[in-house]
Amino acid sequence: MALNEFSLIKQYFADATQKRQDVIVDIGDDCAVLSCPEDSDIAISIDTLVSGVHFFADVDPFTLGHKSLAVGLSDLAAMGATPAWFTLALTLPELDENWLSAFAEGMAALASQHNIQLVGGDTTKGPLTISIQVHGLVKKGTQLRRSQAKLSDKIYVSGTLGDAGAALQKRLSSWQPSELTEQDWLFLNKRLEQPSPRLAISQKILPFTHAAIDISDGLLADLGHILETSGKGARINLDAIPLSSSLQKIDRQQALKLALSSGDDYELCFTVAADQVAAVEALNLDIQQIGEIIDEQTIVLLDEDGKPSILDITSKGYDHFA
Ligand code: ADP
Ligand code: MG
């Protein structure tokens, strides 16, 4: 029988992810019904990826399945929430079984790593668009907020910055620094297409963290959100910005520009009270202290020789309507 909407859901999505005990009604009814532990609240976030806007139409569907879920998981990490359930609204131009099975596999592989279950969705025909709503659990009162940065907090980021931006820049232009090898491009493309949401780091830093955000639009733009909502500014040591070994090979100004203002990193940026720094450092995580919170509402960038450049705090990353 030809694939239709119902057989498609059954075949590719109904049993795509592991079953959780707290799912009372699963895919196949009018609603999913979920059970929330008494000591927790629910954190929700939705993201839409539109073909030609958020991804290249010809992108590998397996990595697209991964990334569609990863961006939501990154939001849960930024809130200090633990992944629980997600729903998927899929708009497809046609029923392409190879595409669907690879997409579902990429999504399910990441879902199983983070114990999040697909519990429902919607399937429609139209230009390729993927919306995923993630639901996480957060112990009451422990959620991380953007607005909680305090004077003299130390600012941290996870992982390395600018890698996804480098891969994107290569796709969009003729930019191809001679220092980068095929291996470097494999790494950089993976950073763009299959980001790793920093949920493990988020859970470990949770007790020590004042403010947090995930870096989806570039460090300056997203740190800017912390500063704006907290009514504070920041001093950043450019020397301390973590760059991958690939980005360390290219022109330093170019690498820093990517690290500061290109998007799609899905790393965490968070602030820690000065007296909690030792405890955070003792966790031995893949994180780097890059600066501190100041009262004056600007971003001061210090380069190697300590020479400051002052940035307008509204310095932007990617804005759909700009
Ligand atoms: P309704 O007509 O009540 O909206 P649908 O036919 O849209 O129901 O969906 C039937 C069931 O399949 C529902 O449980 C819905 O959550 C689920 N579902 C539909 N599309 C998807 C999808 N892309 N992924 C996961 N579950 C889906
Ligand atoms: Mg429906």
Side-chain angles (χ1 to χ4, degrees):
M1 198 185 78
L3 198 61
N4 63 31
E5 181 190 334
F6 301 101
S7 59
L8 173 159
I9 294 165
K10 199 163 181 331
Q11 185 162 348
Y12 295 109
F13 298 111
D15 297 309
T17 58
Q18 69 279 37
K19 306 290 178 195
R20 287 174 57 103
Q21 300 249 305
D22 51 13
V23 176
I24 298 163
V25 179
D26 199 348
I27 289 174
D29 215 315
D30 294 304
C31 290
V33 178
L34 312 165
S35 172
C36 177
E38 243 170 62
D39 65 348
S40 299
D41 292 319
I42 300 180
I44 295 183
S45 172
I46 187 164
D47 278 289
T48 299
L49 274 65
V50 179
S51 178
V53 179
H54 303 96
F55 59 91
F56 297 103
D58 62 353
V59 75
D60 173 359
F62 182 94
T63 65
L64 183 60
H66 174 111
K67 186 160 180 175
S68 304
L69 179 59
V71 298
L73 292 175
S74 178
D75 285 325
L76 293 179
M79 292 304 286
T82 307
W85 319 291
F86 70 105
T87 54
L88 165 69
L90 201 51
T91 304
L92 300 168
E94 60 186 343
L95 295 185
D96 175 342
E97 300 206 40
N98 290 331
W99 190 94
L100 273 166
S101 77
F103 175 84
E105 264 176 49
M107 188 187 71
L110 185 64
S112 74
Q113 274 178 43
H114 296 289
N115 191 26
I116 187 168
Q117 182 177 338
L118 177 61
V119 294
D122 197 25
T123 308
T124 52
K125 188 170 171 147
L128 180 59
T129 304
I130 301 142
S131 280
I132 286 188
Q133 181 165 48
V134 292
H135 305 70
L137 297 172
V138 58
K139 287 256 154 52
K140 283 187 186 294
T142 67
Q143 66 273 7
L144 298 173
R145 304 290 312 275
R146 297 177 175 187
S147 57
Q148 301 303 306
K150 308 280 184 273
L151 181 62
S152 303
D153 276 3
K154 302 298 178 189
I155 302 168
Y156 280 84
V157 294
S158 65
T160 57
L161 301 182
D163 301 318
L168 188 61
Q169 182 160 334
K170 177 171 186 269
R171 284 292 302 257
L172 294 174
S173 72
S174 55
W175 184 68
Q176 191 158 3
S178 55
E179 301 88 345
L180 296 182
T181 64
E182 194 130 328
Q183 284 301 314
D184 289 314
W185 287 116
L186 279 176
F187 164 77
L188 295 169
N189 280 320
K190 182 146 197 220
R191 293 278 289 151
L192 174 65
E193 292 181 350
Q194 290 185 271
S196 301
R198 300 304 183 194
L199 288 149
I201 291 179
S202 150
Q203 284 304 300
K204 294 201 174 110
I205 60 162
L206 185 61
F208 310 106
T209 298
H210 278 159
I213 194 167
D214 69 320
I215 307 175
S216 53
D217 295 334
L219 175 66
L220 291 181
D222 290 312
L223 172 61
H225 294 314
I226 287 184
L227 301 177
E228 223 170 290
T229 54
S230 301
K232 295 281 181 289
R235 192 182 304 114
I236 301 293
N237 300 314
L238 293 179
D239 254 359
I241 300 281
L243 299 175
S244 64
S245 57
S246 297
L247 281 208
Q248 283 177 32
K249 293 181 184 173
I250 68 168
D251 173 68
R252 184 177 152 74
Q253 287 308 313
Q254 177 80 39
L256 278 177
K257 192 172 164 214
L258 287 166
L260 291 175
S261 51
S262 69
D264 270 328
D265 284 321
Y266 299 102
E267 295 295 345
L268 293 174
C269 174
F270 56 98
T271 81
V272 172
D275 62 3
Q276 300 290 302
V277 160
V280 167
E281 298 282 346
L283 295 169
N284 264 318
L285 300 171
D286 180 16
I287 58 174
Q288 174 72 37
Q289 191 184 123
I290 60 164
E292 68 180 339
I293 297 292
I294 60 176
D295 243 339
E296 199 193 342
Q297 289 185 46
T298 54
I299 299 180
V300 180
L301 299 176
L302 294 174
D303 64 21
E304 295 132 302
D305 52 20
K307 233 178 43 206
S309 51
I310 313 275
L311 271 193
D312 185 344
I313 206 145
T314 55
S315 228
K316 286 279 181 289
Y318 187 69
D319 176 345
H320 288 265
F321 296 102

